[in-house]
Amino acid sequence: MNVYDFDNTIYDGESALDFFFDYVKVNPALVKMIPKVLRALALYAGGRVTIEDAMKKYAPYVKKYYCEYDKWEEFTERFWDKRMDKIKPFYKKIQRDDDVILTASPDLTIGEICRRLGIKNYICSLIDNETGQITRLCMRENKIKYFYERYPDAKIENFYTDSIKNDGFFAENAVNVYLVKGNKIIKIK
């Protein structure tokens, strides 16, 4: 089984950030949130935000703005229509039927791209469609928790990530580990 982080690994960039900036065009009042979003991303990328902190600080914003809009499905389809070229070319060359995508990005965006790529197995953050509440935040140590809940006997043959700092627990459990930087893939284990 191959397991992949999504953002900055298969996808060239942070899909949730791109999604947010596209949504700002629909809801310009969100311009005021840009500094908070960029700060949150920096904290996450630097490994300086805990799951608890993320839920406490950012979940209320997600809830508020998620519930204000009722055309997410159409928005998501248009988003991926514009972003399909940001899927890195290496992935289609090595894609297998049993691949698993793990990401902190929400099901709102990941479900559609996985459908388009033919990926059947993915674990992501979940947002309740009725309440806008984040019901699962799939980041850091939660990734391994949710992975082994779903695949208790899995053997990870190859693991691909852009950040050993954020995904080190998978690096410890995989036979082979690859660090993806841009379009460069470096075997580190």
Side-chain angles (χ1 to χ4, degrees):
M1 167 183 290
N2 290 336
V3 178
Y4 298 85
D5 176 47
F6 184 74
D7 293 305
N8 293 307
T9 302
I10 291 175
Y11 181 78
D12 186 13
E14 291 286 338
S15 61
L17 188 61
D18 289 346
F19 196 81
F20 170 77
F21 280 115
D22 276 10
Y23 183 57
V24 167
K25 295 171 190 168
V26 171
N27 186 348
L30 283 172
V31 166
K32 67 181 183 257
M33 294 295 298
I34 291 173
K36 287 183 183 190
V37 169
L38 294 177
R39 177 167 164 62
L41 179 62
L43 290 172
Y44 174 73
R48 296 185 316 263
V49 66
T50 66
I51 293 167
E52 294 78 19
D53 287 343
M55 290 295 283
K56 185 176 160 186
K57 290 179 184 176
Y58 307 111
Y61 296 111
V62 170
K63 182 177 180 177
K64 177 184 184 317
Y65 293 108
Y66 187 87
C67 290
E68 284 182 356
Y69 191 63
D70 64 351
K71 297 180 181 170
W72 287 116
E73 190 173 313
E74 297 163 27
F75 184 86
T76 301
E77 287 176 12
R78 284 192 312 271
F79 174 81
W80 285 115
D81 288 345
K82 293 188 299 185
R83 297 290 189 312
M84 287 301 294
D85 64 338
K86 291 189 79 172
I87 300 300
K88 295 181 181 182
F90 85 87
Y91 179 67
K92 285 307 269 180
K93 293 176 184 173
I94 61 174
Q95 183 176 359
R96 296 187 340 200
D97 282 344
D98 65 346
D99 285 354
V100 177
I101 303 298
L102 284 166
T103 182
S105 291
D107 54 338
L108 175 66
T109 56
I110 295 304
E112 176 64 15
I113 190 60
C114 285
R115 182 189 66 73
R116 289 181 183 211
L117 293 172
I119 298 167
K120 297 178 227 120
N121 308 303
Y122 60 92
I123 302 169
C124 59
S125 295
L126 298 176
I127 300 172
D128 183 281
N129 286 332
E130 299 297 316
T131 66
Q133 188 73 32
I134 298 172
T135 58
R136 176 171 76 193
L137 188 57
C138 187
M139 64 181 258
R140 300 234 163 63
E141 64 271 11
N142 274 1
K143 279 185 176 180
I144 198 112
K145 173 186 161 191
Y146 296 134
F147 177 82
Y148 281 114
E149 279 177 5
R150 189 158 172 196
Y151 305 103
D153 300 319
K155 179 181 176 192
I156 303 169
E157 185 180 340
N158 299 297
F159 179 66
Y160 295 80
T161 184
D162 69 308
S163 174
I164 295 300
K165 186 174 194 169
N166 287 328
D167 292 328
F169 34 84
F170 276 101
E172 295 170 11
N173 293 294
V175 175
N176 301 295
V177 179
Y178 299 90
L179 186 63
V180 179
K181 294 294 180 191
N183 287 318
K184 192 178 205 180
I185 301 170
I186 305 157
K187 184 173 183 179
I188 59 172
K189 176 181 167 188

